[in-house]
Amino acid sequence: MTGLRRFTGPEFIRHLEGARRGGFAAPAGAEEAVAAIVAAVRERGDAAVLEFTARYDGVALAGAALEVAPEEIRGAYGLVDEAFLGALRRARDRIAAFHRWQLSSGYQFQDEGGNTLGLLVRPLERVGIYVPGGRASYPSSVLMAAVPARIAGVREVVMCTPPGPSGRVDPAVLVAAAEAGVDRVFRVGGAQAVAAMAYGTERIPRVDKIAGPGNIYVTLAKRLVFGSVAIDGLHGPSEVAVVADAGADPAWVAADLLAQAEHDPLAAAVLVTPEAALVERVEEELGRLLEAAPRREVAEHALAGQGAVVVVAGLEEAFEVVNRMAPEHLQIMVADPFPWLERVRNAGAVFLGYHAPVPAGDYAAGTNHVLPTGGTARFFSGLGVHDFVRTVSYFHSTPAGVARWAPASRALAEREGLPAHAASVAFRLAAVERGW
């Protein structure tokens, strides 16, 4: 049994609206627990970080051990094989190549009166990246956050990741940090890591922005500290919507659904297709793949809870459904995908055709895998260079250009009851009338 529920397009949209009406959901007591952790770290700094690391990660550290020493990072290279290192570097280079295209130096233009308007683009000074860890290892997430930050020109990149049971950070993650240009690594996870980067402690520096995915406690902490520090978004369980036509290989479709379902019991995997015959064959293949899946229990839980098949009248309706879903990942598994790309309004990342699965983007396609989830692709974007810069607008006026903006500015200032604003503008108008 795959556990996939079947919907028509309108039924699935109603199901989505009901499921998301409650907004951002968290386990009972989680928000209070995170608030207490954040407050403690803000007040007591490293002492609180060490306390929570011992409590939640089961690792007792001395204060000086919070930061991973440079020699430990260098030594990590001797603990990974050459094949992994080669793959990591190829992935890094592809991610860097794609993200360099996102760089902007700003722009400037002049209107007919000679007024100059422009935009400066400046990198953030220091950013913090959070990399999930502890009992699992995600070197790819290091690349996805650190490489764009470096390309953007960020001066200092700080990384927090939970320690493993031994108190050490996985060597693969340390090597990824070195290859991606991370400056400092701290063996701290959870809400305490977010709070430490947001407010600063004796050893962990305060950052301007925190980026990267994490569990529900990390996400709640990011939401809580937002305002004291910028964040990239609120990341939840992974999700994929696969739009497939009759030419899609059912085994490939099943494998791609399973690839998301194995992430997390709360992951969502949805097939949207007008082909009823394809649905039957995909479910057969999915059942076969599940029998041999090492993470079968996790995947079956996800498929039973959030898995779905949406049978639509045609591809036009399929894109109405996925745009309402606003999935983190959207696979368009059709013979000619590019015309349909224009129909996509809401998605974190799009994978086109039969040969472009989501795992390509997870690792070495070059696009970023830190993406909006839970429908937030309606207003959030995937992580990129733009997340690590801010813009500064500027304006220069000439005497000839004053007439272009001053009368309207004075009229609006007077309407809003701000006479000093109006007077400031009036001085420029009077000067121009005097020929100055």
Side-chain angles (χ1 to χ4, degrees), residues 10 15-16 53 80 100 108 115 136 157 169 178 200 349 377 390 400 414 423:
H15 167 73
L16 275 178
T53 300
V80 301
R100 283 194 189 98
Q108 182 184 99
N115 297 306
V157 179
V169 174
R390 74 262 193 238
E414 290 171 347

Side-chain angles (χ1 to χ4, degrees), residues 302-326:
L303 291 169
Q306 296 79 233
V309 171
V310 185
V311 180
V312 293
L315 291 179
E316 293 278 357
E317 185 183 0
F319 283 90
E320 293 176 14
V321 169
V322 296
N323 281 319
R324 294 291 289 272
M325 182 181 174

Side-chain angles (χ1 to χ4, degrees), residues 70-157:
E71 54 267 26
E72 183 177 342
I73 297 174
R74 290 193 295 269
Y77 278 84
L79 302 175
V80 301
D81 60 50
E82 287 298 318
F84 165 78
L85 184 57
L88 186 79
R89 286 173 171 168
R90 284 192 295 275
R92 177 202 60 194
D93 292 346
R94 289 187 61 84
I95 294 164
F98 173 73
H99 285 80
R100 283 194 189 98
W101 283 97
Q102 300 175 14
L103 276 174
S104 170
S105 58
Y107 60 81
Q108 182 184 99
F109 74 93
Q110 285 190 334
D111 63 21
E112 296 86 342
N115 297 306
T116 301
L117 297 89
L119 199 69
L120 302 175
V121 178
R122 296 292 184 262
L124 302 180
E125 288 294 309
R126 180 190 289 132
V127 302
I129 62 173
Y130 186 86
V131 177
R135 300 188 184 280
S137 175
Y138 300 100
S140 60
S141 291
V142 180
L143 302 182
M144 295 294 173
V147 169
R150 277 298 181 211
I151 289 173
V154 171
R155 180 178 59 82
E156 184 177 10
V157 179

Side-chain angles (χ1 to χ4, degrees), residues 36-49:
I37 292 170
V38 169
V41 172
R42 187 174 188 177
E43 293 170 9
R44 297 193 287 116
D46 285 346
V49 170

Side-chain angles (χ1 to χ4, degrees), residues 148-413:
R150 277 298 181 211
I151 289 173
V154 171
R155 180 178 59 82
E156 184 177 10
V157 179
V158 173
M159 184 177 103
C160 282
T161 190
S166 67
R168 299 180 71 83
V169 174
D170 181 16
V173 169
L174 293 181
V175 170
E179 292 291 322
V182 173
D183 294 291
R184 301 176 70 182
V185 179
F186 294 89
R187 55 184 110 236
V188 183
Q192 59 269 27
V194 173
M197 290 189 286
Y199 302 120
T201 70
E202 295 87 340
R203 289 179 173 83
I204 302 173
R206 181 177 184 175
V207 303
D208 300 313
K209 187 168 190 172
I210 299 172
N215 64 19
I216 185 63
Y217 296 94
V218 170
T219 301
L220 288 172
K222 286 171 70 177
R223 185 173 69 172
L224 191 59
V225 302
F226 176 63
S228 295
V229 65
I231 62 171
D232 59 334
L234 301 173
H235 306 291
S238 188
E239 58 197 26
V240 65
V242 178
V243 174
D245 66 6
D249 187 312
W252 292 18
V253 174
D256 294 347
L257 294 171
L258 182 58
Q260 296 308 302
E262 75 172 354
H263 266 291
D264 187 290
L266 297 177
V270 177
L271 170 61
V272 186
T273 181
E275 306 295 335
L278 177 67
V279 171
E280 302 298 333
R281 296 172 64 197
V282 167
E283 290 199 318
E284 290 174 7
E285 293 289 347
L286 191 53
R288 183 179 61 80
L289 291 172
L290 276 168
E291 289 181 4
R295 294 176 60 83
R296 177 175 180 173
E297 185 177 349
V298 172
E300 285 185 332
H301 193 107
L303 291 169
Q306 296 79 233
V309 171
V310 185
V311 180
V312 293
L315 291 179
E316 293 278 357
E317 185 183 0
F319 283 90
E320 293 176 14
V321 169
V322 296
N323 281 319
R324 294 291 289 272
M325 182 181 174
E328 177 189 18
H329 307 99
L330 171 60
Q331 286 187 221
I332 305 179
M333 295 182 70
V334 303
D336 186 12
F338 280 96
W340 294 103
L341 183 60
E342 295 302 314
R343 306 296 180 93
V344 177
R345 298 192 307 275
N346 302 318
V350 183
F351 298 82
L352 298 164
Y354 302 135
H355 292 84
V358 168
D362 287 339
Y363 298 112
T367 55
N368 207 291
H369 79 202
V370 182
L371 300 167
T373 62
T376 62
R378 301 183 337 271
F379 45 81
F380 276 134
S381 304
L383 196 67
V385 171
H386 52 270
D387 283 287
F388 301 106
V389 299
R390 74 262 193 238
T391 59
V392 181
S393 61
Y394 60 90
F395 172 68
H396 172 265
S397 188
T398 64
V402 168
R404 296 276 174 176
W405 59 267
S409 297
R410 182 171 63 179
L412 289 168

